[in-house]
Amino acid sequence: MCVFSSVTLAAHNPVVNMDLPDVSVVQAGNKYYMSSTTMHLSPGLPILKSDDLVNWEIVSYAYDRLVENEEINLQNGKNAYGKGSWASSLRYHNNRFYVSTFSATSGKTHIYSTTDVETGDWQSHSFEPALHDNSLFFDDDGRVYMIYGGGQIKLIELDEDATSIKPEGLNKILIDNANLVFGEHDAGGLPAEGSQMFKINGKYYLFTIASPESHWSRTVIVHRADEITGPYESRIMMQDRQVAQGGLIQAPDGAWYAMLFGDRGPVGRIPFLVPVSWQNNWPVLGVEGKVPDILPHLPARAGYKGLVSSDDFERKEGDRLLPLVWQWNHNPDDKNWTLLSDPGRLRISTSRIDENVLHARNTLTQRTFGPTSSANTQIDVSNMKDGDVAGLIALQKEYGFIGVRAEGDNKIIIVEQAAPGSDKPVPPKSSVGSQASVPQGQEAVFLRIDCDFRTNVASFYYKFDDEDWIPLGSKLHMRYTIPEHFMGYRFGLFNYATKTPGGSVDFNYYQVGKRSEIY
């Protein structure tokens, strides 16, 4: 007799092991929706959907282009790295979705809304000033507010349609120094920020993130009041594994959770789901105050479909030109990229001279993910001009790429890395193993990058045709930079000119996955 047993796989933390910081979650019908931060990338302010709080996919972006200026367009030596749009607040009110953010690049607070979060157009409104880490809040009496600030937490009233500040509306300080919860001797650390406001059973709960002065430890602080204007009582609710900033969500079965993010170095700030219980009308986070590794009542993650994806650049009628997993590094120059068919391929052309890869326009990116991820591409280099550089990058301030550099009639495969602590490249080496020649007449080159976030090292490879991958150059020691780029490493496809504009390269495909799955 055979005995069969069924095994139900449970969810594990982190629920998503990739850069999705500043999360804000709502429930609408039987779905969950989440917004996150992608700063200088375009399109921006991604909206994700899930059935179970564990498996997420991108379904839309609140904007295609945040603003038009030299910084976000990578013009005249300016950039928006580490800026763009920051922590958002996603809300669902009267069958309409609202998401707010703020931007040092535009100098404004931005509010987007739609009745169809997945396929509808987002209406855009903005106003000055840029309200830091704001939380959009609709109260039961019809009044609308934003709670914002760092250290000192403030409230300001908006018009009923949540499009502008209400003239002569409520405008006051809610908490003069939210860090005093650590004690006066320890209140000088990271000022409390990342506000998210909730109203539950008639009480107001304000979540913030902070760190004490004596040691760096991201901390969840919850402030509670009977009236939105206060007074607020504050408590430290969790201080574990650098996991904080986010807010509450209730599942249909009545269970409560907090969706937060945790700092995890070069892979970025990644989502953790923490169970919540209630004691004396206070939300108690975690299991005995800790972030659990296992979430037994939720299904296991089924992969990262909808968050990253391979692409053969073939499109059928009605398809999006670029799937939602793709984002440009800054606003693209749409005159200088295109998708070609038969066969499908992405062409990136050059129209100006650039100093290095971080200044190049039209770098097309996707997230990396942990613990290991790998990307590879095939690039047609036959239309490069002298001085052009094109390839595959692990993008951050301290970047590393493997690419092809055109030198007169010759083409050289190179590995370039930013110097530690700098966005300038390390001077090129002429030693054996640091570069390779492309044979005359060879038009296609295969390039590959492996990222291992257990050791925070990236490795570079190339090949021609159907042969074994050949390692090239030294390994990149990946490092998360704050406040410069302020995001996890991303894979990117790029092309830029250093001497003469007008060249182009074709990327024939993009493949991404766990290293063990694709090699």
Side-chain angles (χ1 to χ4, degrees), residues 291-329:
V291 178
D293 291 322
I294 299 175
L295 300 163
H297 302 297
L298 295 172
R301 186 176 59 243
Y304 289 137
K305 182 180 179 181
L307 295 175
V308 299
S309 178
S310 299
D311 197 341
D312 60 8
F313 300 117
E314 295 282 359
R315 300 291 182 263
K316 298 177 182 178
E317 185 176 353
D319 286 350
R320 289 182 58 91
L321 202 57
L322 289 174
L324 292 169
V325 294
W326 288 113
Q327 288 176 283
W328 297 100
N329 177 25

Side-chain angles (χ1 to χ4, degrees), residues 123-164:
Q123 296 181 9
S124 173
H125 298 274
S126 63
F127 55 82
E128 295 179 340
L131 300 179
H132 179 81
D133 278 17
N134 62 72
S135 177
L136 185 60
F137 182 74
F138 296 87
D139 211 342
D140 298 335
D141 60 3
R143 300 176 75 176
V144 186
Y145 304 96
M146 272 190 171
I147 299 88
Y148 67 99
Q152 187 180 77
I153 307 299
K154 301 177 182 180
L155 176 145
I156 195 164
E157 190 169 359
L158 304 184
D159 286 332
E160 290 184 3
D161 59 2
T163 60
S164 60

Side-chain angles (χ1 to χ4, degrees), residues 185-496:
H185 68 288
D186 222 3
L190 171 70
E193 58 182 9
S195 293
Q196 291 199 34
M197 177 72 84
F198 306 90
K199 189 175 185 180
I200 301 167
N201 295 330
K203 293 185 180 293
Y204 297 84
Y205 296 89
L206 175 62
F207 277 59
T208 58
I209 179 177
S211 179
E213 183 176 5
S214 59
H215 61 287
W216 176 255
S217 182
R218 287 195 182 271
T219 305
V220 180
I221 303 174
V222 178
H223 317 268
R224 187 186 73 180
D226 293 324
E227 304 290 340
I228 194 168
T229 53
Y232 282 84
E233 179 184 1
S234 303
R235 290 188 180 182
I236 295 173
M237 280 304 176
M238 194 176 71
Q239 191 178 80
D240 182 48
R241 298 167 61 181
Q242 307 297 341
V243 174
Q245 188 162 339
L248 293 169
I249 189 73
Q250 188 178 24
D253 63 2
W256 285 90
Y257 297 91
M259 184 69 83
L260 312 168
F261 77 74
D263 294 87
R264 290 302 178 268
V267 76
R269 295 176 291 164
I270 63 181
F272 285 76
L273 191 62
V274 177
V276 173
S277 58
W278 290 86
Q279 295 180 12
N280 300 321
N281 291 320
W282 283 97
V284 179
L285 277 64
V287 178
E288 297 182 351
K290 303 295 183 182
V291 178
D293 291 322
I294 299 175
L295 300 163
H297 302 297
L298 295 172
R301 186 176 59 243
Y304 289 137
K305 182 180 179 181
L307 295 175
V308 299
S309 178
S310 299
D311 197 341
D312 60 8
F313 300 117
E314 295 282 359
R315 300 291 182 263
K316 298 177 182 178
E317 185 176 353
D319 286 350
R320 289 182 58 91
L321 202 57
L322 289 174
L324 292 169
V325 294
W326 288 113
Q327 288 176 283
W328 297 100
N329 177 25
H330 292 65
N331 285 347
D333 177 0
D334 289 329
K335 300 185 299 296
N336 286 289
W337 73 272
T338 188
L339 290 186
L340 303 174
S341 58
D342 299 323
R345 58 206 188 276
L346 166 70
R347 175 167 294 174
I348 300 178
S349 305
T350 65
S351 62
R352 67 182 194 186
I353 303 301
D354 283 307
E355 179 182 357
N356 64 36
V357 67
L358 294 183
H359 294 88
R361 295 194 76 177
N362 292 351
T363 296
L364 187 60
T365 78
Q366 286 193 34
R367 291 172 176 83
T368 61
F369 56 88
T372 65
S373 50
S374 181
N376 70 84
T377 187
Q378 183 194 50
I379 180 173
D380 184 328
V381 299
S382 58
N383 291 318
M384 296 179 75
K385 291 195 172 186
D386 183 30
D388 287 2
V389 184
L392 177 66
I393 188 172
L395 178 63
Q396 235 275 356
K397 176 184 177 182
E398 296 190 14
Y399 66 85
F401 73 69
I402 183 164
V404 176
R405 182 175 66 225
E407 297 180 354
D409 293 332
N410 298 318
K411 296 182 176 67
I412 310 298
I413 302 173
I414 62 171
V415 169
E416 181 178 287
Q417 299 182 20
S422 170
D423 57 2
K424 306 298 182 183
V426 175
K429 300 177 182 179
S430 58
S431 59
V432 175
S434 64
Q435 61 183 36
S437 295
V438 178
Q440 290 289 337
Q442 178 77 36
E443 295 185 349
V445 179
F446 293 82
L447 306 173
R448 165 183 157 193
I449 300 177
D450 292 351
C451 292
D452 188 335
F453 294 104
R454 299 165 300 186
T455 57
N456 293 331
V457 165
S459 305
F460 306 92
Y461 305 84
Y462 75 96
K463 68 176 182 177
F464 307 112
D465 302 320
D466 295 326
E467 55 190 32
D468 292 336
W469 289 101
I470 304 169
L472 188 69
S474 59
K475 296 181 184 297
L476 171 69
H477 295 278
M478 296 182 289
R479 193 174 73 89
Y480 190 85
T481 59
I482 299 176
E484 293 92 349
H485 282 209
F486 208 2
M487 66 167 46
Y489 276 79
R490 297 178 74 96
F491 293 123
L493 308 176
F494 70 89
N495 180 30
Y496 68 96

